[in-house]
Amino acid sequence: MNASRSADAGGTHHAVSEPIPFADIVVSGLLIDPTVIAGDVATARDVTDVAVMMLPEIGPWLRPNQLLVTSTTVLRRLAGTIGDFTARLARHEIAGLVVRLDEGCGLPDDIARDAAFPVVTTPADIDADHELAYGLSGMAKTQVDAVLRADHLRRGLLEIVMAGGGHKALADGVARGLGGAVLITTPDGRQTCRAGADADFGWLASTAALDSTGRVRTDCLDGGLGLHRFGDEYVAIAAISANSIDHGRLVLFCPGRTLASEDLYLVEQAATVCALVVSRELAVSAVEEKHRANFVRDLLRGRGGDPEQVIVHAQMFGWNLDRPIVVVAVEPDVVDDDEPPAPARLPVVERQARAFVGAVAGRDPGAAVTALATETVIIMGEGSDTMTLVHELVAQVRGAGGGGRRPFGVGVSRASSSTADLPALYGQARTALEVGRKITGSWAVTHFDDLGVYRLLSLVEDTDELESFARETLKELTDDTAEAQDMRRTLEVLLATNINIAETARQLHFHYNTLRYRVAKLEKILGPFTAQPELRLDLSLALKIIAMRGINS
């Protein structure tokens, strides 16, 4: 059994040269009079790392396959339940937990029942002269020093908060206190403020930590939390959470200086102070957002009042409605497996609304962006190419996709110069959103004018009649088979080219004679549509109903 004298980025944990069976650790002499009270040492993970736990906030020092050594005194100081603690250790895939039984401080209840790994007790400290104990005393000192540094940092940041400072002032304070560059982002990585040298941000942009839009890749970095290595440099990321709600990330990076577990601990402690600012801002904005949302609801229902009064009232919120405007409706898709992460996040509509507020601000500062019950509504100015702008906004909010970011549909109305038309514009945006989603699926971005005949079909309330018409017209082409779908595709292109056999064959990459055979087969099923314009119209409508209703598509 050999132990190498290696360390992590900051020399705060002790890796062994080769994995050691847990059972061998128990009888190695490292532990004094050990007693296994939970788990099976024979089937436990092999130990590749030994660490000491001197403080309850052990998270930054946890490693997979780690033997974690602590005491009942430390366990009694845990902020949460022992079940939450052991579950956290299990998520980090530790090999086992060793607990020193301190005099007058008993073992926490249920630790043996809740643990999913071996738990071993010992009446005394581990053997300090044992080869596996090398470096543990230094690790303990490092953790204690980190607590003292964190207390000093928190005091300085709290002074900033008490003086009324916001996230930008806190970012500056963290950058000064920790000697690096700092980002504050949303939970999905969109930057909200930064502090530090431009050269440091240039380095970060050159790494895989950011996507092409400048978003921190929280979906690719183990949920965005922890200490991440890029080449020879490190990035530390901690969650900003308030009232058990995930509000963002605090990111520290220091090119040229190696970050270690204690730096991540300091970032986590600084993030708790950032959460105070979040709570304060939420309390202030909640009342304002309620007034904004009520005003927008009245506008969309035609109860906003005289257009001149509406324009003046909107200016109180910083909105410019005295110009040609369009309405954009954004609604998240329904996802069956939308399990809430821990900590919980704001409702998806609120998150999407905040994302669009940031995206719109740099392009149309006078636009109104409001989160309603199930959707985000944007009232923005008409531009020379409104749809290009909308696609840019969607791309910025969506980022690289993934990471649990909910898909959403977008509908865009026509333009109007009067706020009295807002109810009609909203109806157009909703129609474009709903029909576009049925036709295109997730991430559909649809303008009302692009719906064509789908607008008329969407007005038919008797959907059973629509589907019946489609099935009666297309007959066996509505079957749920690959052949039926293939023949529908052939029919669709034939109708689009006005029965141009040569062009249809070119588009479908068929031989001319093959396509003529297919036309004959289609006419045998559907009737002589090549010679009857009325039948071609019926077939075209039936295909659109299938696309819109999703019948065997």
Side-chain angles (χ1 to χ4, degrees), residues 72-83:
T72 52
T73 300
V74 175
L75 293 182
R76 288 294 179 180
R77 293 171 180 166
L78 292 172
T81 67
I82 194 67

Side-chain angles (χ1 to χ4, degrees), residues 102-164:
D102 293 338
E103 185 176 353
C105 188
L107 200 65
D109 297 336
D110 299 330
I111 188 170
R113 186 197 67 186
D114 294 334
F117 43 79
V119 178
V120 181
T121 61
T122 175
D125 284 328
I126 61 175
D127 181 0
D129 295 327
H130 195 282
E131 60 180 347
L132 290 175
Y134 174 80
L136 296 186
S137 60
M139 185 189 307
K141 181 179 183 303
T142 296
Q143 291 181 13
V144 173
D145 289 344
V147 172
L148 297 176
R149 287 188 61 196
D151 183 66
H152 178 74
L153 177 64
R154 272 196 304 267
R155 289 174 183 273
L157 297 179
L158 286 173
E159 289 181 3
I160 294 174
V161 174
M162 297 301 292

Side-chain angles (χ1 to χ4, degrees), residues 22 36-41 44-45 66 68 82 85-91 93-98 111-112 114-120:
F22 195 93
V36 179
I37 65 170
D40 184 357
V41 297
R45 295 173 179 272
Q66 182 179 66
L68 186 62
I82 194 67
F85 171 68
T86 55
R88 185 181 188 188
L89 298 187
R91 287 196 299 271
E93 300 179 342
I94 72 163
L97 178 68
V98 174
I111 188 170
D114 294 334
F117 43 79
V119 178
V120 181

Side-chain angles (χ1 to χ4, degrees), residues 484-494 507-508 543:
Q485 292 181 10
D486 187 38
M487 293 300 285
R488 286 204 306 268
R489 173 59 180 160
T490 300
L491 176 62
E492 184 179 4
V493 179
L494 276 168
Q507 290 189 25
L508 294 176
L543 288 171

Side-chain angles (χ1 to χ4, degrees), residues 238-447:
I240 299 173
S241 60
N243 299 321
S244 299
I245 300 294
D246 186 3
H247 291 283
R249 299 288 180 267
L250 179 63
V251 183
L252 172 72
F253 48 101
C254 311
R257 178 171 75 83
T258 300
L259 298 182
S261 300
E262 54 268 28
D263 293 293
L264 177 59
Y265 174 76
L266 293 171
V267 174
E268 290 180 347
Q269 300 309 301
T272 63
V273 182
C274 293
L276 295 177
V277 175
V278 170
S279 299
R280 183 183 67 193
E281 292 176 348
L282 287 176
V284 174
S285 66
V287 177
E288 296 178 350
E289 182 57 32
K290 181 179 180 180
H291 286 302
R292 287 193 292 264
N294 288 338
F295 178 52
V296 169
R297 286 192 188 94
D298 287 341
L299 292 179
L300 301 182
R301 293 170 180 169
R303 301 200 302 243
D306 182 79
E308 293 184 359
Q309 294 178 340
V310 168
I311 291 171
V312 172
H313 195 169
Q315 289 173 347
M316 297 172 58
F317 298 122
W319 301 340
N320 178 13
L321 303 186
D322 188 17
R323 54 179 175 164
I325 53 177
V326 299
V327 172
V328 180
V330 182
E331 184 177 68
D333 292 352
V334 177
V335 178
D336 293 334
D337 57 348
D338 187 33
E339 293 295 331
R345 301 175 68 180
L346 288 171
V348 63
V349 173
E350 290 189 35
R351 300 202 307 267
Q352 289 181 349
R354 291 186 179 193
F356 274 102
V357 166
V360 171
R363 294 170 168 83
D364 186 354
V369 183
T370 309
L372 302 183
T374 60
E375 64 185 329
T376 297
V377 173
I378 305 171
I379 306 174
M380 57 188 289
E382 180 195 27
S384 58
D385 193 345
T386 299
M387 286 305 291
T388 296
L389 175 57
V390 171
H391 279 288
E392 290 175 354
L393 296 175
V394 169
Q396 181 172 340
V397 170
R398 182 180 179 184
R405 288 195 279 280
R406 260 295 264 282
F408 54 83
V410 180
V412 184
S413 74
R414 291 171 172 169
S416 175
S417 297
S418 174
T419 58
D421 293 331
L422 279 171
L425 299 183
Y426 173 64
Q428 293 171 6
R430 285 297 312 176
T431 298
L433 188 156
E434 292 167 3
V435 177
R437 175 182 282 158
K438 291 175 181 177
I439 298 169
T440 309
S442 297
W443 303 109
V445 181
T446 312
H447 194 284

